[in-house]
């Protein structure tokens, strides 16, 4: 429980990172760009406050005041949900026809996220780190400082992410294939992915550039070359050739992310189309992640609604959910200098990514794409804590705390 | 019955049925629909206020009252409402009263420390889509356990802040002195426990204050406590189910969730009260650097904002900690039923003339307000074309084909932008670079690709803006 921390325990947050960050103060502005292939934002206007109707309620006849504590029975509001999220297996070991050191399973929920009075979380959500094949990718300074050495080498970047930053998977984003960027041929993408598979033994995900035609072409080449690895391909979208994409993924023993833009009905539609070509257990869905302050409420509510519908038995939404929490960095508050009151942005940025991810974790996300090492560490810690059934030794007297 | 299951017919049946239009609606059915959406109070129906209709009024009140009681803390302009919620999930209707954030002080602080903290809390403000995000309350803890010290600290805090207060001490003697310093300011009393409930209930009744019922990690005990307090005559109760970070996080969120579902979906009136979270508990962990505690406090507070807390007591006053929290709170408490766009059209900034730049953006509210505030703070004279992207950001609108060369050309024509300026140069957002070629072909305007982020507008204009045709 709480109380003094034992000396030999590692600090929860990588003090080294945070301290280093806190002492950094940049004065120049830097623009930021993430993997924006599929970032969608939407937003709510200011709160429109409506006073709840009020009236004076008369308490029924005055009774004698109690002199001792009255007993009350409390029942946990237990309920059975008929639906269940399918389990999706990512990565394949040598014995299973791949080359990974282990396989990960996500999904399997029968209750909303972390309602532990209803169900223990069946599988730990997976935290994956984003790696790009394009050294000029514009990253926020707070992230760049940790990966500056490996920007030119996706395989090394992947290795660093796993060995140093604790990534449980790696998302290789093939930005350079974009006809508007470098338009590199599929062959080069295959090389990049193969190098990453050599460098790390965790399961991997492969992301395209957002061009529907080029992505399919590249997915086809990569899927063939990596047959049996159960790579998570991201994404298939409604404006792609769904049949061709699904067949490429399925034929070579992989998995896919079905990406839609913050709309439960579109998510249903895409899943339904995919069911013609692949089993449900091969599909993860991504309903779009928007940054804290830039449409997070939409992202949150679409995910929450989709998950609740799935648990109530909707057969077209019961998939594990993937979230690009990296999109948090699209918020100016994550990377911009805002003046001394809000400094240091070296802490504000990773906290922004952390809180974006944390919010969606509570909506039911099973797979995160993240970027900042401190955010990754913090979310992994949080998942550890959420999955523990701890008992309280004694309440904390925070009223008397001398701080 | 839970708010999400209530239909306008249920309400209509209990209205006087005069169709008198005195409420401003066309008929009683329309008024019923607005009542169900909690958009109007019952008091707007004059016939219903007739004493002869009291039985109807009472039935309606019972039908429409929020399952989570609305509890007011403080007086006058700054007072806050905790709770008053109808639904578990925001998409079932909307949330009404954003989680209030209280920052702590203690009665052993020096005068300078107190003043500095109060100043920081009072001056905290962040401009976000046309709103000012602020902090709400101050929580004064008696760490001295000395009644007169507590009284002095409470008095000082009130005089310096005039903000709603939470008085924190489990000792009724100390609490009484604290209350005596602000007898008519309706602070929230923290807290009644299974050991001191009787004295605290007396104080709450005597001073007309709301009272926290505290029973950490014992929900049955918490319910016994509220049952007892209600019987004793205390109406305005706030629940403290206990807050712990680190390994206690799972249990903490579990309790908040179970309480909220029991109160709203199961109609358990003994639990239908606002929930208080205390992220300040993370400070009991000894960290080698306070940054660790601050970070953990921010994470714990975020989880509680998402999971139903109506009020929070926090210790950190760092901007980097509080900024994401006030924005998260605004996001979660935004009404999901409201549109998110601004009116398309043309807006002028400063005093533009016929040689001033013409910029373009989407009608997504956040994009528009961000661009507008950047243009205003840079004091640039210009015209801004706001295109109808159905409330999507530029990036999403380009990806989703809501912002195309056609819609841009059409907007230029419909808003008669050509009548405002002599030149034919349009500055597109950086994220609309993809369509710049087509825009030139279709509209006949020259398309310049501007910065990716609107903060770059002033620099872009000073380097690139020459209105004459080249």
């Amino acid at each position: 429980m709480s109380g003094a921390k034992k000396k030999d325990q590692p600090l929860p947050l990588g003090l080294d990172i945070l301290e280093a960050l806190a002492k950094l103060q940049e004065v120049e502005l830097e623009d930021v760009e993430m993997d924006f292939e599929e970032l969608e934002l939407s937003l709510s206007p200011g709160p429109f406050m409506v006073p709840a109707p009020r009236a004076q309620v008369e308490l029924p006849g005055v009774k004698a005041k109690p002199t001792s504590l009255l007993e009350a029975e409390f029942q946990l509001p237990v309920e059975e949900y008929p639906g269940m999220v399918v389990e999706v297996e990512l990565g394949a070991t040598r014995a299973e026809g791949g080359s990974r050191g282990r396989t990960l399973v996500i999904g399997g929920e029968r209750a909303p996220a972390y309602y532990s009075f209803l169900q223990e979380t069946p599988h730990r959500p997976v935290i994956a780190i984003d790696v790009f094949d394009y050294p000029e990718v514009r990253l926020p300074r707070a992230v760049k400082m940790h990966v500056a050495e490996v920007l030119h080498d996706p395989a090394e970047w992947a290795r660093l992410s796993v060995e140093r930053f604790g990534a449980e998977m790696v998302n290789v984003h093939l930005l350079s294939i974009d006809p508007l960027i470098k338009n590199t041929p599929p062959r080069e993408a295959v090389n990049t992915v193969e190098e990453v598979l050599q460098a790390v033994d965790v399961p991997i995900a492969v992301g395209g550039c957002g061009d529907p035609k080029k992505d399919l072409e590249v997915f086809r080449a990569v899927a063939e070359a990596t047959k049996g690895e159960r790579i998570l391909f991201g994404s298939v979208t409604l404006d792609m050739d769904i049949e061709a994409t699904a067949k490429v993924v399925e034929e070579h023993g992989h998995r896919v992310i079905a990406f839609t833009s913050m709309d439960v009905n579109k998510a249903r539609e895409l899943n339904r189309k995919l069911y013609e070509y692949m089993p449900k257990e091969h599909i993860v869905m991504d309903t779009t992640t928007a940054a804290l302050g830039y449409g997070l409420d939409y992202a949150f509510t679409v995910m929450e609604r989709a998950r609740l519908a799935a648990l109530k038995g909707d057969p077209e939404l019961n998939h594990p959910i993937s979230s690009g929490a990296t999109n948090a960095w699209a918020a100016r508050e994550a990377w911009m200098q805002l003046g001394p009151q809000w400094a240091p942005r070296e802490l504000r940025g990773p906290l922004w990514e952390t809180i974006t991810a944390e919010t969606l974790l509570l909506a039911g996300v099973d797979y995160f794409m993240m970027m900042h090492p401190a955010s990754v560490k913090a979310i992994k810690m949080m998942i550890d804590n959420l999955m523990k059934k701890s008992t309280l030794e004694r309440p904390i007297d925070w009223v008397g705390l001398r701080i | 019955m839970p708010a999400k299951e209530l239909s306008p017919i249920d309400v209509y049946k209990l209205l006087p049925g005069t169709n008198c239009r005195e409420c401003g609606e066309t008929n009683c059915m329309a008024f019923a629909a607005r009542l169900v959406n909690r958009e109007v109070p019952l008091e707007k129906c004059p016939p219903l206020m007739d004493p002869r209709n009291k039985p109807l009024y009472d039935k309606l009140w019972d039908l429409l009252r929020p399952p989570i009681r609305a509890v007011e803390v403080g007086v006058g302009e700054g007072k806050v409402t905790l709770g008053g919620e109808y639904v578990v999930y925001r998409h079932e209707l909307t949330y009404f009263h954003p989680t209030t954030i209280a920052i702590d002080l203690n009665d052993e602080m020096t005068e300078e420390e107190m003043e500095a903290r109060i100043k920081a809390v009072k001056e905290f403000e962040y401009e976000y889509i046309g709103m000012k995000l602020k902090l709400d309350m101050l929580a004064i803890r008696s760490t001295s356990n000395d009644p007169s010290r507590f009284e002095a600290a409470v008095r000082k805090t009130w005089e310096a802040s005039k903000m709603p207060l939470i008085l924190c001490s489990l000792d009724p003697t100390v609490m009484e002195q604290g209350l005596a310093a602000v007898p008519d300011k309706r602070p929230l009393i923290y807290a009644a426990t299974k050991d001191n409930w009787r004295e605290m209930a007396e104080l709450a009744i005597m001073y007309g204050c709301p009272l926290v019922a505290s029973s950490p990690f014992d929900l049955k005990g918490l319910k016994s406590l509220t049952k007892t307090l209600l019987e004793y005559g205390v109406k305005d109760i706030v629940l403290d189910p206990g807050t712990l970070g680190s390994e206690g996080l799972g249990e903490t969120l579990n309790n908040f969730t179970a309480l909220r579902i029991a109160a709203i979906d199961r109609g358990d009136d003994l639990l239908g009260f606002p929930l208080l979270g205390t992220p300040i508990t993370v400070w009991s962990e000894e960290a080698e650097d306070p940054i660790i505690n601050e970070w953990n406090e921010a994470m714990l507070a975020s989880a509680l904002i998402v999971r139903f807390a109506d009020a929070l007591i926090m210790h950190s006053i760092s901007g980097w900690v509080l900024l994401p929290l006030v924005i998260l709170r605004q996001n979660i408490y935004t009404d999901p039923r409201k549109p998110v766009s601004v009116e398309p059209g043309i807006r002028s900034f400063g005093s533009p003339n016929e040689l001033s730049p013409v910029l373009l953006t989407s009608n997504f509210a956040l994009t528009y307000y961000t661009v507008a505030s950047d243009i205003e703070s840079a004091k640039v004279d210009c015209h801004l074309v706001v295109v109808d992207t159905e409330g999507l950001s530029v990036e999403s609108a380009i990806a989703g084909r809501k912002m195309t060369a056609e819609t841009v050309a059409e907007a230029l024509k419909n808003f008669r932008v050509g009548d405002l300026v002599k030149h034919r140069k349009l500055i597109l957002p950086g994220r609309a670079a993809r369509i710049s070629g087509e825009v030139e072909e279709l509209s006949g305007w020259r398309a310049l690709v501007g910065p990716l982020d609107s903060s770059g507008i002033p620099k872009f204009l000073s380097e690139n803006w020459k209105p004459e045709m080249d």
Side-chain angles (χ1 to χ4, degrees), chain A residues 108-291:
Chain A
E109 295 90 344
R110 307 199 63 117
Y114 311 104
Y115 283 27
S116 50
F117 64 96
L118 298 181
Q119 185 206 21
E120 290 300 309
T121 306
H123 301 291
R124 259 188 85 93
V126 169
I127 310 300
I129 289 183
D130 289 331
V131 165
F132 301 89
D133 71 342
Y134 178 62
E136 290 76 35
V137 60
R138 265 200 302 273
L139 300 172
R141 182 178 299 277
V143 170
K144 206 170 191 166
M145 57 190 259
H146 297 287
V147 295
E149 303 295 304
V150 294
L151 282 174
H152 291 268
D153 188 343
E156 278 310 304
W157 193 340
R159 197 196 310 274
L160 180 74
S161 301
V162 173
E163 292 173 6
R164 279 282 312 283
F165 305 151
E168 293 159 333
M169 279 181 61
V170 171
N171 310 301
V172 189
H173 294 279
L174 302 166
L175 289 196
S176 66
I177 65 173
D178 191 331
L180 295 172
I181 295 179
K182 278 167 79 183
N183 204 17
T184 50
R187 184 63 245 162
E188 271 186 53
V190 169
N191 285 345
T192 302
V193 173
E194 284 179 335
E195 282 167 14
V196 170
L197 285 170
Q198 294 281 319
V200 298
D201 77 343
V202 296
I204 70 163
V206 169
C209 66
D211 178 300
K213 287 199 177 64
K214 184 68 183 274
D215 280 358
L216 173 53
E217 197 186 333
V218 170
F219 287 173
R220 178 173 286 120
V222 173
E224 269 176 32
T226 58
K227 198 171 178 65
E229 290 282 8
R230 289 193 198 128
I231 287 175
L232 182 60
F233 278 89
S235 317
V236 61
T237 59
L238 280 165
D239 44 7
M240 281 173 90
D241 180 339
I242 294 169
E243 178 177 358
T245 313
K247 281 181 172 166
V248 160
V249 169
E250 190 54 30
E251 206 174 308
H252 302 291
H254 299 297
R255 306 288 179 263
V256 78
I257 296 177
F259 180 90
T260 46
S261 54
M262 289 208 200
D263 179 331
V264 175
N265 289 325
K266 283 186 175 154
R268 282 195 183 99
E269 182 191 346
L270 181 54
N271 291 340
R272 195 162 53 236
K273 287 179 167 161
L274 288 167
Y275 297 158
E276 292 179 43
Y277 313 105
M278 60 199 329
K280 290 185 77 153
E281 292 74 18
H282 293 185
I283 303 166
V284 175
M285 67 183 186
D286 182 342
T287 54
T288 306
T289 293

Side-chain angles (χ1 to χ4, degrees), chain B residues 180-351:
Chain B
V182 284
D184 53 353
K185 303 297 182 247
R186 211 178 143 81
L188 175 62
I189 300 174
Y190 185 95
T193 66
K194 63 181 184 352
D195 303 315
N196 70 8
W197 63 267
R198 207 165 161 185
E199 294 91 335
M200 288 294 187
E202 281 294 338
L203 289 173
I205 291 165
M206 189 159 61
Y207 286 95
C209 290
L211 175 62
V212 176
S214 175
S215 178
F217 301 89
D218 170 18
L219 298 185
K220 187 174 178 298
L222 188 60
K223 195 169 162 181
S224 299
L225 201 49
T226 57
K227 182 177 179 179
T228 312
L229 292 173
L230 283 168
E231 291 270 337
Y232 203 86
V234 180
K235 293 195 194 79
D236 287 323
I237 299 171
V238 173
L239 307 179
D240 169 27
T243 297
L244 274 180
S246 59
E247 295 189 5
L249 178 67
E251 194 60 24
T252 300
L253 296 189
N254 207 38
N255 289 341
F256 273 72
T257 304
L259 285 172
R260 191 47 49 106
I261 291 175
I264 292 182
D265 288 346
R266 305 292 162 90
D268 190 336
D269 282 345
L270 292 180
L271 299 173
F273 296 98
L275 299 172
L276 170 71
T278 54
I280 187 172
T281 53
V282 305
W283 293 86
S284 67
E285 301 247 357
E286 280 180 43
E288 287 172 40
D289 187 319
I291 285 174
I292 303 287
N293 281 338
E294 291 196 281
W295 178 290
N296 289 336
E297 190 175 26
M299 282 186 75
L300 181 52
S302 305
L304 289 167
I305 287 170
V306 175
R307 282 282 160 92
F308 318 121
D310 300 289
L312 296 175
I313 297 176
M314 296 186 63
H315 179 64
S316 177
I317 51 169
S318 299
W320 65 271
V321 169
L322 294 168
L323 181 60
L325 300 181
V326 294
I327 290 187
L328 176 65
R329 154 177 88 170
Q330 196 282 331
N331 286 185
I332 296 287
Y333 279 80
T334 290
D335 189 337
R337 302 168 298 176
K338 297 276 177 288
V340 297
S341 50
V342 296
E343 203 55 43
I346 186 140
R347 311 278 202 291
S348 295
F349 292 85
S351 336

Side-chain angles (χ1 to χ4, degrees), chain A residues 1-5 11-13 15 18-19 22 31-33 36 39-50 52-55 57 59 63 65-74 76-79 112-117 138 178 180 239 292-294 296-298 300-301 304-305 308 332-333 335-336 338 341-344 347-348 350-352 354-355 358-359 362 374 378 382 385-386 388-390 392 395-396 398-403, chain B residues 38-39 41-43 57 61 86 89-91 96 98 106 108 124-126 128-129 131 141 143 168-169 190 194 197-198 205 216-217 219-220 223-225 227-228 231-232 235 244 246-251 253-254 257-258 261-262 266 271 278 280-281 283-286 288-289 291-292 295 298-299 302-303 306-307 313 315 319-320 323-324 327-328 330-332 334 338-340 364-366 370 374 392-393 395-396 401 431 434 452-455:
Chain A
M1 230 34 277
S2 80
K5 191 177 297 301
L11 275 166
L13 253 177
L15 187 62
L18 283 179
E19 272 195 325
D31 200 351
V32 169
E33 187 167 69
F36 276 134
L39 178 68
E40 278 240 4
L41 293 183
S42 92
L43 156 100
S44 318
F48 175 65
M49 285 317 215
V50 182
R54 298 182 54 85
V57 209
L59 279 182
K63 284 180 279 198
K65 293 189 169 183
T67 53
S68 61
L69 209 56
L70 304 170
E71 283 296 300
E73 281 310 308
F74 177 71
L76 284 165
V78 176
E79 63 182 301
Y114 311 104
Y115 283 27
S116 50
F117 64 96
R138 265 200 302 273
D178 191 331
L180 295 172
D239 44 7
L292 170 60
Y294 288 73
L296 178 65
D297 39 327
Y298 273 72
F300 171 80
T301 285
E304 187 169 69
R305 287 181 61 187
L308 289 168
R332 317 163 102 198
E333 286 82 356
W335 57 268
M336 213 184 234
L338 298 173
Q341 192 190 349
W342 315 103
L347 287 171
R348 204 191 331 121
L351 185 59
W352 215 263
T354 301
I355 291 177
E358 179 182 343
T359 303
L362 296 175
M382 182 172 174
N385 290 331
L386 281 168
K388 278 182 184 130
K389 257 294 205 203
S390 73
L392 184 76
I396 291 174
W398 58 265
V399 172
L401 266 186
R402 288 192 159 86
I403 39 177
Chain B
R38 275 67 179 186
E39 290 165 349
L42 281 173
E43 288 71 12
Y57 177 93
W61 168 250
Y86 291 89
Y89 303 106
R90 64 190 285 274
H91 61 261
F96 285 92
N106 70 60
E108 290 178 297
F124 181 99
E125 189 176 283
Y126 189 78
Y128 173 78
I129 44 172
M131 282 176 295
R141 301 182 295 117
T143 48
C168 309
S169 170
Y190 185 95
K194 63 181 184 352
W197 63 267
R198 207 165 161 185
I205 291 165
F217 301 89
L219 298 185
K220 187 174 178 298
K223 195 169 162 181
S224 299
L225 201 49
K227 182 177 179 179
T228 312
E231 291 270 337
Y232 203 86
K235 293 195 194 79
L244 274 180
S246 59
E247 295 189 5
L249 178 67
E251 194 60 24
L253 296 189
N254 207 38
T257 304
I261 291 175
R266 305 292 162 90
L271 299 173
T278 54
I280 187 172
T281 53
W283 293 86
S284 67
E285 301 247 357
E286 280 180 43
E288 287 172 40
D289 187 319
I291 285 174
I292 303 287
W295 178 290
M299 282 186 75
S302 305
V306 175
R307 282 282 160 92
I313 297 176
H315 179 64
W320 65 271
L323 181 60
I327 290 187
L328 176 65
Q330 196 282 331
N331 286 185
I332 296 287
T334 290
K338 297 276 177 288
V340 297
F364 171 46
L366 185 58
T370 306
D374 282 335
L392 290 177
S393 70
E395 188 142 31
S396 311
R401 323 274 189 272
R431 301 192 191 285
R434 267 169 200 266
L452 288 166
D453 188 277
S454 57
S455 57

